[in-house]
Amino acid sequence: MADKYKSLNAAMAAGDELAEAEIRYRLLAETFEEMPQLRGNINGQLERAKAEIVRLRAAKRAPKGQTEANVVTFDATRFRKSGA
C-alpha cells in the first residue's frame, strides 16, 4: 500500500491514512535499527504506529456503513444475582 507513494508527505497529501501509517512505521523501524541509542524512545512510537496500522486495515476491510465492532447482546437471564 505504501509503495505507491514516494514520501510521507505524498501519502499525507493524498489523504491515505493507511499508507501514511505504514510509511511512518517503516521510517521508525529503520531508525530503530540504525540508532540503537534511541531504541528506548522509539519503541513506544513503533507500538502505536503498529496499532494504528491494524486499526486502519480492519476499518478498510469492514463492510460499508459499519464503523464500530460488532456488539454482542447481554443475556440478563443467564446472569442472576447470587441468592436470588
Side-chain angles (χ1 to χ4, degrees):
M1 179 59 69
D3 296 334
K4 65 183 181 179
Y5 301 106
K6 294 185 183 231
S7 69
L8 181 59
N9 286 340
M12 291 171 75
D16 191 341
E17 291 180 345
L18 179 57
E20 181 183 337
E22 289 173 340
I23 292 170
R24 194 174 332 107
Y25 182 85
R26 181 179 46 84
L27 293 171
L28 285 167
E30 289 172 2
T31 303
F32 186 86
E33 290 294 322
E34 292 172 7
M35 304 183 81
Q37 68 273 21
L38 296 178
R39 287 184 178 178
N41 297 337
I42 294 176
N43 196 34
Q45 293 175 17
L46 277 169
E47 291 299 320
R48 284 189 294 278
K50 189 183 340 179
E52 183 180 5
I53 290 169
V54 169
R55 181 186 61 80
L56 290 169
R57 284 180 180 168
K60 188 174 185 178
R61 284 192 296 260
K64 288 192 176 195
Q66 180 181 353
T67 57
E68 296 295 322
N70 292 336
V71 177
V72 178
T73 58
F74 180 74
D75 185 6
T77 58
R78 292 179 58 195
F79 301 99
R80 294 185 303 250
K81 289 183 181 180
S82 55

